[in-house]
């Protein structure tokens, strides 16, 4: 009876070249292994991003390819990008967080009150992070230990956080008067031409990638998203893991709120509007399954860059906002259809 082929014989994604071929290829073996393990989705996302850059360069070469415009694209990607990193972890666990935009708004206005600004740079940063983590804690407790459905729990947080942000500001913009915060948004603070906000985004991305791919926390997240009951039987405390994930999402929201304060120089109750949809969309575009169990930080970040680049190109070409939203919706639908097709063939 014929034995089934092994993954290596089938040429699967984790398979390396046959020993004989490796010997014949000499030094080409490791290179072939790298290509064999390359994520086709990541390569396709890079291709889409490259195509968008080409389109922008053709339609508005003087404006799109200008250094300041490229810095602006990266800066705008930083705020929603940090939120997306946290959202990716939550979705990979089989959850969802609809409250991220409202948490960003609440953290930004709470951190920019007159009383908070009296404590300077550290006080604003600490308050923004603390509010984000606190909201994440509430979400996590309600979902992990209260047994609430993530959709309902985070929807309630969305409404509550938005309402509290409006109550704090009374509908008014809170101006930041701390010079050390305002200077971070100036061109003089750029490091080798890179805005500080982009550096923070890059650091969060690297840390997120390491946590997901090089720690037991990341493996537990994937296990919980793939099959929560199997993860529990394997000895994973599923409820505690889910609590940690919503804390992580809240932490990312707090960091994003501080970046938004630096970028806008103020705090408003309208901050973070529709961030939850943008973050979810970017994660889906990047290959994160809504059902959980699979996803990549790199893919999510590329999804953020693609959406931000599209918005920038449309703005430079004076296309209306409704056209931008239609294009984003079409991209999301296409990404979900590709996911379903991929899942059905594996």
């Amino acid at each position: 009876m014929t034995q089934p082929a092994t993954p290596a014989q089938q040429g699967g994604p984790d398979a390396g070249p046959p020993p004989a071929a490796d010997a014949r290829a000499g030094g080409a073996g490791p290179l072939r292994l790298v290509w064999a393990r390359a994520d086709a989705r990541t390569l396709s996302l890079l291709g889409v991003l490259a195509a968008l850059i080409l389109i922008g360069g053709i339609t508005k070469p003087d404006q799109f390819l200008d250094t300041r415009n490229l810095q602006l694209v990266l800066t705008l990607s930083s705020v929603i990008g940090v939120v997306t990193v946290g959202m990716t972890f939550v979705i990979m666990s089989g959850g969802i967080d609809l409250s991220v935009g409202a948490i960003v708004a609440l953290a930004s206005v709470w951190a920019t009150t007159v009383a908070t600004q009296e404590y300077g740079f550290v006080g604003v940063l600490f308050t923004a992070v603390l509010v984000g983590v606190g909201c994440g804690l509430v979400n996590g407790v309600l979902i992990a230990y209260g047994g609430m459905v993530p959709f309902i729990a985070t929807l309630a947080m969305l409404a509550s956080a938005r309402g509290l942000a409006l109550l704090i500001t009374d509908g008014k913009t809170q101006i930041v008067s701390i010079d050390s915060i305002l200077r971070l948004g100036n061109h003089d603070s750029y490091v080798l031409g890179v805005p500080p906000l982009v550096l923070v985004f890059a650091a969060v991305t690297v840390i997120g990638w390491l946590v997901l791919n090089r720690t037991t926390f990341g493996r537990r997240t994937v296990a919980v998203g793939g099959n929560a009951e199997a993860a529990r039987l394997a000895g994973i405390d599923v409820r505690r893991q889910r609590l940690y994930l919503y804390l992580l999402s809240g932490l990312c929201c707090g960091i994003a709120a501080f970046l938004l304060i630096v970028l806008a120089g103020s705090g408003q109750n309208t901050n973070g509007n529709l961030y939850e949809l943008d973050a979810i969309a970017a994660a889906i575009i990047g290959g994160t399954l809504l059902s959980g169990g699979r996803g990549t930080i790199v893919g999510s970040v590329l999804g953020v860059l693609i959406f931000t680049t599209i918005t920038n190109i449309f703005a430079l070409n004076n296309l209306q906002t409704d056209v931008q939203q239609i294009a984003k919706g079409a991209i999301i639908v296409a990404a979900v259809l590709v996911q379903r097709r991929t899942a059905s063939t594996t």
Side-chain angles (χ1 to χ4, degrees), residues 104-127:
V104 169
L106 178 59
S108 68
V109 299
W110 205 323
T112 54
T113 59
V114 175
T116 303
Q117 291 194 52
E118 291 180 356
Y119 294 94
F121 183 100
V122 176
V124 172
L125 175 59
F126 178 77
T127 302

Side-chain angles (χ1 to χ4, degrees), residues 160-173:
S160 301
R162 283 289 179 193
L164 184 55
L166 179 60
L167 179 64
I168 292 175
T169 61
D170 194 24
K172 301 176 182 178
T173 300

Side-chain angles (χ1 to χ4, degrees), residues 285-297:
I285 292 297
T288 302
L289 290 180
L290 278 173
S291 56
R294 192 185 75 187
T296 66
I297 298 297

Side-chain angles (χ1 to χ4, degrees), residues 186-235:
N186 295 335
H187 192 274
D188 295 338
S189 64
Y190 289 10
V191 180
L192 299 177
V194 180
L197 274 66
V198 178
L199 295 177
V200 174
F201 176 35
V204 171
T205 299
V206 171
I207 293 172
W209 185 91
L210 290 174
V211 170
L212 180 61
N213 296 280
R214 294 292 185 267
T215 67
T216 56
F217 182 88
R219 290 191 289 272
R220 289 172 180 171
T221 300
V222 175
V224 170
N227 191 323
E229 181 61 20
R232 186 187 67 81
L233 294 175

